[in-house]
Every structure is written in structure tokens, then in C-alpha cells.
Amino acid sequence: MAATAWEWDETLYAGSASHYSVGRMPYPPGLAEAVAEALGLDGTGRLLDVGCGPGSVTLLLAPLFEAAVGVDADQGMIDEAQRRAGEVGVTNVGWRHLRAEALPAGLGTFRVATFAQSFHWMDRLLVARLVRDMLAPGGAWVHVSANTHQGVIGDDPLPYPRPPWQQIDDLVAGYLGPVRRAGQGWLPAGTPGGQEEIMRQAGFSGPFRITVEQGMVVVERGVDEIASAVFSLSSSAPHLFADRLPAFEADLRRLLSEAARDGRFAERRRGIDVAIWHP
């Protein structure tokens, strides 16, 4: 089948939600500390996390606010976020199965809106304008850029081998083809750029930038974690493999087991880049 232009569909992350908790490296506590300091957060106001996924950023930042709302277009992600909130005892978050393009959806106004690894999947100018109108006076938009499934590429010595990411990519391509998949479509050129121009066109000023952890922290990860990291990606979500999923997973685990030492890998966690915009 020929690759066609990508359009959002509800299968984008189908089957991936349960893999996030296992396969994605958690955001460091320093992210919450940096955002709180930059914005003078004091436990008041409300947080809106758009494209919240399984609540990774929502649950980290919610204690800095009186209340929070996480919205995501994937019901599985919302279910996983609710489960994780119960596990960690965070009770001030409401969850909504909702596309960002459907905002404001009667949700009210917010002191801060966050987007973490999500904005590129949306009609960005429309969403930026919608969310701008939902921010209270003095409010802020916080964009979190990260790559939490994979660490820093390098050859410096680590306690265990690095995961064989190039071989993993080759294995995925062998099953799904060389063009990146996303839902029912393809992304031959990857996700779009040009965010700053869009934000300014929507009426925002900035950004003020922060970087948290610049590749200094070494994280040990097991075979199960790396396998789940692969399935947490839109480009290798479980549904894409259809009836070949068992064969792919067997090949993936064989590759990982052969590359690991005592079932373990090590990586340097990537830095987290934060851009803060004001209406």
C-alpha cells in the first residue's frame, strides 16, 4: 500500500497505553521544581494538561495546583492515567476523553496549560488559539519537549550495554515497511516543526526556556522495559502488527536478550527542554 498524507485517527496509540508505565522513562522531579520556580506556583490555580497520555506530566505537576484536568484523545490513555493516579494517591485531577480540537468543552479557565510530547499530533494553530482563550490573566503555556522512550546516543562507558536501537528500528521496518507508520497513515517526513511561528501567530509571546537534566543521569533498564518502550510509540503501536504481533514480539525479545548483559541495559537519560509562553 502506498504511503499517503497523515491524518489523525483514533488508532494512533491503540494498545500502547499500558506500555507507557513500563517503557517510558519517568520525567525527573526536577521538571516540577523548575516549572514551579519559573512560574511562581504556590498551590493555587488550575492545570490543564492537553494530550496527557497516561498522566506522566499531569501527576507530576498536579500537586503544584489546587486542581488539574488531563485530556487525551485515546480512551486507553485516560484509563491508564486514572489507574496511575489511584496508585500514587493523587486525587485533585479530573480526566476527560477529548480531542484537543474540541476544547474548551466547558472546562473553564486555567493558570497553566501543559503540552508534553503531544502538540505535534494536533491542529496546532487551532488548538493554540483555543487554549490561549482558556488561560487566566497572567497564565502560561508550558511546552515540554522530551524523548522518554530512548536515551542519549553515545559510546561512553556505561554499566551495561546500550539498547540496540538501530537494530530495533530495522526490525520494525522489516515488519511494517520503511516509512514511519502513525495510526492508519504514514509520516514519511516525521512530525511537523515550526512551533514558534505557530505560537506567535496564535498571539503568544516568548518563549522562556529551561533545560532539566542534560544527559547526566544514567538509567538501568531491563528487556521488558525496552520492549514496552517500542510498543509505546505510535510508529510501532501493537495494533500495527495485526496478526504478526506475536512473531514480532518474539523477534524483538530475542534481539534484546542477545544484546543485554544479565538482562540489563543502561542509557543516559535525555535532557528535558521546557518552553514557556505567555498570551
Side-chain angles (χ1 to χ4, degrees):
M1 183 181 295
T4 57
W6 181 78
E7 294 183 3
W8 182 87
D9 68 77
E10 63 184 7
T11 69
L12 182 60
Y13 280 98
S16 292
S18 63
H19 291 284
Y20 261 75
S21 299
V22 178
R24 295 288 182 121
M25 289 179 275
Y27 292 105
L31 173 60
E33 297 165 5
V35 171
E37 181 178 356
L39 298 179
L41 301 179
D42 55 4
T44 63
R46 302 170 71 220
L47 167 69
L48 175 66
D49 189 17
V50 185
C52 65
S56 305
V57 163
T58 330
L59 298 174
L60 181 65
L61 300 185
L64 303 174
F65 297 86
E66 180 180 352
V69 177
V71 303
D72 199 275
D74 185 274
Q75 182 63 56
M77 293 291 185
I78 292 297
D79 293 342
E80 182 69 6
Q82 291 175 322
R83 184 191 69 78
R84 294 177 67 183
E87 281 189 345
V88 299
V90 174
T91 59
N92 68 331
V93 183
W95 306 99
R96 293 284 302 274
H97 176 211
L98 184 75
R99 284 195 70 189
E101 291 82 354
L103 292 170
L107 295 179
T109 58
F110 296 84
R111 182 174 182 178
V112 174
T114 50
F115 290 73
Q117 304 183 71
S118 63
F119 191 44
H120 53 272
W121 295 122
M122 304 168 188
D123 182 335
R124 294 180 295 168
L125 182 57
L126 171 62
V127 171
R129 286 171 170 164
L130 291 172
V131 172
R132 183 178 185 272
D133 290 342
M134 297 174 71
L135 291 174
W141 168 305
V142 177
H143 184 87
V144 180
S145 298
N147 189 339
T148 52
H149 83 282
Q150 178 181 353
V152 177
I153 297 172
D155 55 9
D156 55 308
L158 295 177
Y160 292 95
R162 285 179 167 82
W165 287 112
Q166 184 57 60
Q167 293 95 315
I168 292 170
D169 290 344
D170 292 343
L171 180 63
V172 171
Y175 274 83
L176 300 181
V179 181
R180 176 178 171 176
R181 292 291 306 274
Q184 301 303 307
W186 290 262
L187 281 173
T191 53
Q195 176 178 302
E196 290 195 9
E197 179 181 349
I198 289 170
M199 294 297 291
R200 294 192 177 98
Q201 190 175 350
F204 286 88
S205 61
F208 172 71
R209 298 188 181 277
I210 306 168
T211 299
V212 181
E213 288 190 1
Q214 302 185 49
M216 300 302 294
V217 176
V218 175
V219 178
E220 293 183 11
R221 310 176 74 191
V223 167
D224 287 346
E225 292 167 278
I226 302 303
S228 280
V230 174
F231 289 128
S232 76
L233 299 171
S234 62
S235 56
S236 49
H239 75 94
L240 294 174
F241 298 92
D243 58 1
R244 302 180 74 194
L245 178 60
F248 171 76
E249 184 167 5
D251 286 343
L252 174 61
R253 288 183 175 277
R254 186 178 306 111
L255 168 64
L256 295 176
S257 295
E258 292 173 354
R261 189 173 77 246
D262 299 327
R264 306 295 294 170
F265 296 101
E267 294 188 281
R268 291 192 182 277
R269 186 159 59 191
R270 292 174 183 261
I272 309 297
D273 295 319
V274 180
I276 298 176
W277 298 83
H278 293 280

